[in-house]
Amino acid sequence: MLDLLEKAVLTAIGAVAITQKRAEELVVEMREKYTLSEDEGRDFVERLQGVAEESREKIRQTAESEVKKVVEMLGFVSREEYERLARRVQELESRLNS
């Protein structure tokens, strides 16, 4: 189940990376066809990079949310909860051994 989720996330991230590469190629094509200035091309790339970064952040947030749902569904505990319980067990064992 987690492997499937991991593959989906990596595929989405890959799609965003490919989209950014394609956007850069598009800028080169646009500069040639529509005689964009270097500044216009740079501005366009910066805007596209901003959109790509927003997309990556949304994907990351969605992936994190979905992973949490899967973890809860499978009944796994978080690292924090595990460590809290481990400390509690140690404290109880210390009391029993005293």
Side-chain angles (χ1 to χ4, degrees):
M1 177 71 101
L2 290 176
D3 287 339
L4 179 62
L5 183 60
E6 181 182 7
K7 287 178 185 177
V9 170
L10 292 175
T11 300
I13 291 170
V16 170
I18 290 170
T19 302
Q20 185 171 354
K21 182 178 181 195
R22 178 62 186 128
E24 290 171 0
E25 292 170 355
L26 180 62
V27 168
V28 171
E29 290 176 22
M30 289 177 63
R31 285 185 64 194
E32 292 171 359
K33 287 182 183 178
Y34 303 108
T35 60
L36 288 177
S37 71
E38 190 164 326
D39 288 338
E40 291 170 324
R42 186 176 21 252
D43 290 343
F44 184 68
V45 168
E46 287 173 4
R47 284 194 307 263
L48 288 175
Q49 287 173 335
V51 169
E53 181 60 35
E54 289 174 14
S55 296
R56 280 192 292 272
E57 180 61 23
K58 287 178 185 176
I59 289 170
R60 186 196 64 74
Q61 290 173 352
T62 302
E64 186 175 304
S65 173
E66 291 302 312
V67 166
K68 285 181 181 179
K69 287 178 188 176
V70 170
V71 166
E72 288 175 11
M73 182 182 75
L74 294 173
F76 294 150
V77 296
S78 68
R79 169 66 69 185
E80 293 166 353
E81 187 175 356
Y82 171 80
E83 289 173 356
R84 183 182 61 79
L85 290 171
R87 283 190 303 271
R88 186 171 175 203
V89 167
Q90 282 181 333
E91 289 173 9
L92 291 171
E93 286 176 345
S94 294
R95 288 182 194 170
L96 286 173
N97 294 330
S98 298

